[in-house]
Amino acid sequence: MSNRAVAGSLGLVRVLAHCGGDPAAALHHLAGAVAAAPEDPGPYALLAELWRDRTPELTGAVEGSTSLRAVLALSYVSFLDGDMDRAALAIGSVTGARPDVAWARAPWFGDERFLGAVSADALAEAALRTMDRGHDLDSDAMRERLRPWFEAIEAVSARQPSPEALARMAMMLRACGLTDASFALCDRADAVQRTMMVEVVRAGTWRRVGDARQAAAAFERALALDPGNWSLHLDLADLHAEQGDFAAAARWAGEGLTHEPAEITLRAAAAAYRARLSGSAADLRQLVELAPDMPNPAYLDLLLDHACAGPGLPPELISEAGRARRG
């Protein structure tokens, strides 16, 4: 046995002794050591040895908990077991929970065994999970912590350029403020196949950089690829409303209703934009009646703001609309 192996075994013995001989407690302890310094290979070596020797005892502890340490351990033992997709998804969840820690500096995350085997779909889903908790990823410090993700995206997208997966990866790049890289990934996806989703992601990126004209053009290209998609009509309506063009907003929402006349969010938007454009009391009343069933309270309140600014609306109706707010 090499000196390194001997040192590792002795280290594991000490960990188990510290944890009263309980493998699950030892796993928890080692995951804590990984969390304290994700780039340090030492705790991974001990975790690998523990997993190899006590897999049956530890499987439940790893797979039966949603704690951060358990999911972190799951990411590494999945790598050890060759399940690279599950490894990616687990570390994506951990990153989404605590992006202030550079989890992806783990030696295994940049290992060719991982980058050469993880599927584009799994890495894309993992990239989306990094955004799950709504943390702000657009800062120099955050980009530095997430740099291994950007390198993994580059490697996997070059190996397996699946348009839908690339579009989802581009969403993470956009969230990190890497808009040029996000556009480039969309262009790479287009070179394989033009899809509605890629155009939607591109539209969102144009929106983020403040170019409403380019965003609208991208949404319209998406609609050309999926003409019956009511959600795209709503995206275009909302985009024009942001620019103060309520005639276009009402028109796009109305066109969406020809495809999905019962969709409540679309009905509410169409009513709000008509009320804002013409001061229609009937449309504002319709919006108020739809309010209790609206799935997104923040969006409802935005629509009420627009509608109540319509010309010549009765003050008592505006007051009633104010009471319908849910935000």
Side-chain angles (χ1 to χ4, degrees), residues 165-303:
L166 266 59
R168 286 179 285 158
M169 295 177 195
M171 290 171 66
M172 180 198 180
L173 297 179
R174 179 178 70 206
C176 295
L178 301 176
T179 52
D180 287 346
S182 181
F183 282 132
L185 210 54
C186 288
D187 291 344
R188 181 180 291 179
D190 278 346
V192 178
Q193 181 185 0
R194 291 189 61 232
T195 69
M196 178 270 290
M197 185 174 178
V198 172
E199 289 292 4
V200 169
V201 173
R202 184 181 279 115
T205 307
W206 281 120
R207 208 169 185 173
R208 184 181 180 105
V209 300
D211 193 328
R213 183 184 63 81
Q214 292 274 25
F219 276 131
E220 289 182 27
R221 290 193 299 271
L223 195 57
L225 293 166
D226 188 3
N229 190 316
W230 68 266
S231 183
L232 292 174
H233 286 87
L234 183 58
D235 285 329
L236 279 159
D238 291 343
L239 181 62
H240 284 288
E242 288 175 13
Q243 305 306 307
D245 186 350
F246 290 98
R251 184 180 71 252
W252 280 111
E255 288 186 16
L257 286 171
T258 65
H259 298 284
E260 199 66 45
E263 172 51 48
I264 188 169
T265 303
L266 195 57
R267 291 172 62 201
Y273 296 146
R274 288 193 302 265
R276 175 62 179 82
L277 178 65
S278 65
S280 166
D283 284 314
L284 180 54
R285 167 102 20 221
Q286 181 184 7
L287 177 59
V288 169
E289 291 172 353
L290 293 170
D293 298 320
M294 282 286 285
N296 186 333
Y299 185 61
L300 167 66
D301 291 350
L302 177 64
L303 293 179

